[in-house]
Amino acid sequence: AAPLVIGCDVDLGVLAAARDNARLAGVADQVTWQRADARGLSPTVVADVARERGRPAPTGGLILANPPYGARLDPGGLDELEALYAGLAVACQRFRGWRAGFLVGNPLLETAFARVIGPPRIKKPLANANLRAYFYLYEL
């Protein structure tokens, strides 16, 4: 009953830090690590990882992500952030029947998801370090 966990990020430094944290938590061997853009995640990719681990393809699951907030963006980077959030929403559409949760400090994510997925099932205010953030849970 162990979960199938895929950790991915395009930034090699972030991926290495996540791998180090998983190692400290004693779960690194339970995670399949990929240097990849989460917008490319699909049920086919998840099924391939499951097969590599000797498991059946999951028919449902939970996608969790902590996408960039945009706090350190250059002035023109807001369009790039909006495109990232919209791409995540489109990627999530591929996972009908799943759930997706996001810890993010920018309301643009909620706006992008509203256009594609609809409103969040849960919107919970949080603090992430010194930044105001929200946890959003979507039923896909």
Side-chain angles (χ1 to χ4, degrees), residues 19-129:
R19 194 174 323 171
D20 290 344
N21 288 334
R23 197 173 297 118
L24 288 170
V27 296
D29 62 332
Q30 298 173 32
V31 181
T32 300
W33 300 99
Q34 297 183 343
R35 186 174 185 192
D37 189 324
R39 292 173 288 186
L41 195 61
S42 70
T44 302
V45 170
V46 174
D48 289 345
V49 170
R51 265 193 303 281
E52 288 171 9
R53 294 230 171 207
R55 298 174 58 178
T59 57
L62 174 64
I63 298 166
L64 290 173
N66 181 211
Y69 292 12
R72 296 180 291 248
L73 285 180
D74 295 331
L78 201 54
D79 290 340
E80 188 177 320
L81 188 65
E82 286 178 304
L84 170 67
Y85 293 162
L88 286 172
V90 169
C92 283
Q93 275 188 307
R94 301 177 196 133
F95 291 88
R96 290 288 176 203
W98 288 46
R99 290 181 174 174
F102 298 91
L103 174 62
V104 67
N106 194 309
L108 288 175
L109 182 121
E110 185 176 4
T111 303
F113 270 70
R115 285 188 223 119
V116 178
I117 303 291
R121 180 171 177 250
I122 295 172
K123 178 181 178 181
K124 176 102 175 134
L126 304 167
N128 188 4

